[in-house]
């Protein structure tokens, strides 16, 4: 093994937000290297620049379009810069700069596309989430104006019986570039039990001396609750008509509400969802 000073021409690639993916300049990196004599000779003859992908977090932004990276950070990339079998004893600089030109871009949300099938008595809890939930789209101004979202490839799963996560590629708009080619996704899943009951419909918020007749006076409630059951919703839930809804109604038809749901209730469905309400004239006399 021999030691000598070697210089290598480098073009940097990175995913710096709002910037071209490749540096516009070629930078010469010089370092004191240890390798076989043949390898050192080869590096001395090599003229073509090496394209090295550098992580954006390793850069510090300088003036204008210039971004600097320190010698200690570059030790991570020695194999990519100088090749296998070469060790760097020291770089002959403290920092080095690459120029990344600003590119037109637009940040848009990532919309997940999914077809999910669940095992009986299992259901999805909330929306399917993606990380990152937005990406930058790079391209000509006349094309960027027509991009309002980026979609994932279809996530297709069946017989789901537990929480799921994974990674999915993005659909890249033709003629444009994305800041990320894929996103991570996750969906929360819970086993549930259904509880059905007939509950009375109460009146809320009526002025003193005012009463309503509500038809029907009871509704059928179907509760979906996490399994095992934390608390019985039939004992705590209340179905109601809000008097303000009736007062603002032309027809007297009001949506039945349901609240005071205990912990563990995933959803509730009422049938019917709308009740007919009639004010009892003189009821307060």
């Amino acid at each position: 093994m021999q030691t000598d000073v070697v210089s290598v021409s480098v073009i940097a690639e990175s995913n710096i937000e709002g910037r071209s993916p490749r540096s516009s300049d070629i930078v010469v990196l010089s370092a004191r290297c240890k390798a076989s004599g043949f390898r050192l000779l080869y590096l001395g003859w090599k003229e073509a620049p090496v394209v090295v992908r550098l992580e954006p977090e390793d850069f510090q932004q300088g003036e204008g379009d210039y971004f600097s990276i320190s010698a200690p950070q570059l030790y991570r990339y020695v194999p990519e810069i100088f090749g296998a079998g070469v060790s760097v004893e020291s770089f002959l600089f403290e920092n080095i700069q690459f120029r990344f030109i600003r590119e037109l871009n637009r940040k848009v949300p990532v919309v997940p596309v999914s077809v999910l099938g669940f095992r009986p008595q299992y259901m999805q809890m909330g929306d399917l989430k993606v990380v990152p939930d937005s990406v930058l789209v790079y391209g000509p101004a006349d094309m960027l104006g027509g991009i309002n979202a980026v979609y994932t490839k279809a996530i297709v799963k069946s017989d789901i019986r537990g929480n799921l996560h994974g990674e999915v590629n993005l659909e890249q708009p033709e003629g444009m570039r994305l800041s990320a080619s894929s996103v991570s996704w996750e969906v929360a899943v819970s086993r549930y039990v259904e509880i059905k009951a007939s509950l009375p419909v109460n009146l809320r918020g009526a002025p003193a001396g005012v009463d309503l007749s509500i038809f029907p006076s009871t509704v059928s409630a179907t509760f979906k609750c996490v399994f095992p059951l934390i608390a019985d919703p039939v004992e705590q839930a209340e179905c109601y008509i809000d008097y303000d809804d009736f007062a603002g109604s032309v027809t007297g038809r009001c949506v039945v509400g349901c609240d005071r749901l205990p912990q563990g209730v995933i959803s509730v469905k009422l049938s019917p969802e709308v009740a007919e309400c009639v004010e009892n004239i003189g009821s307060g006399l």
Side-chain angles (χ1 to χ4, degrees), residues 14-21 55-57 59 61 67 100-107 132 134-138 177 179:
S14 193
N15 193 19
I16 300 173
E17 186 172 305
R19 301 286 170 167
S20 168
E55 295 299 326
E57 56 267 24
F59 283 102
Q61 184 167 7
F67 293 78
F100 291 91
I101 302 298
R102 186 179 298 276
E103 281 192 350
L104 287 176
N105 65 84
R106 182 179 185 184
K107 180 173 281 191
S134 60
V135 294
L136 292 177
V137 184
Y138 298 87
R177 181 174 67 87
S179 59

Side-chain angles (χ1 to χ4, degrees), residues 110-270:
V110 175
V111 178
V113 177
S114 62
V115 180
L116 305 179
F118 297 88
R119 180 174 289 193
Q121 298 300 111
Y122 287 84
M123 66 179 295
Q124 181 173 333
M125 302 287 287
D127 297 331
L128 186 151
K129 298 179 181 179
V130 294
V131 179
D133 61 3
S134 60
V135 294
L136 292 177
V137 184
Y138 298 87
D142 58 339
M143 296 177 66
L144 284 175
I147 303 294
N148 297 310
V150 169
Y151 296 86
T152 67
K153 300 283 188 180
I155 302 167
V156 181
K157 301 289 180 180
S158 61
D159 196 36
I160 299 172
R161 58 183 184 278
N163 295 342
L164 288 179
H165 61 87
E167 188 171 292
V168 62
N169 290 332
L170 299 176
E171 295 280 6
Q172 183 168 322
E174 187 174 355
M176 312 189 85
R177 181 174 67 87
L178 302 178
S179 59
S181 59
S182 63
V183 295
S184 299
W185 63 271
E186 64 178 7
V187 60
V189 178
S190 175
R191 187 177 178 185
Y192 70 89
V193 60
E194 278 193 352
I195 298 176
K196 297 183 179 182
S198 180
L199 297 179
V201 181
N202 300 323
L203 175 63
R204 283 189 186 176
V210 175
D211 188 29
L212 299 181
S213 291
I214 301 173
F215 305 97
S217 59
T218 62
V219 292
S220 175
T222 301
F223 300 94
K224 287 186 177 180
C225 307
V226 295
F227 180 85
L229 189 65
I230 299 174
D232 187 352
V234 177
E235 297 178 355
Q236 299 184 39
E238 180 182 8
C239 296
Y240 65 92
I241 292 293
D242 191 303
Y243 181 80
D244 288 342
D245 291 343
F246 170 76
S249 169
V250 176
T251 63
R253 291 171 57 84
C254 300
V255 175
V256 181
C258 186
D259 63 8
R260 299 179 183 173
L261 301 175
Q263 183 181 0
V265 174
I266 301 171
S267 66
V268 57
K269 183 177 181 180
L270 304 179

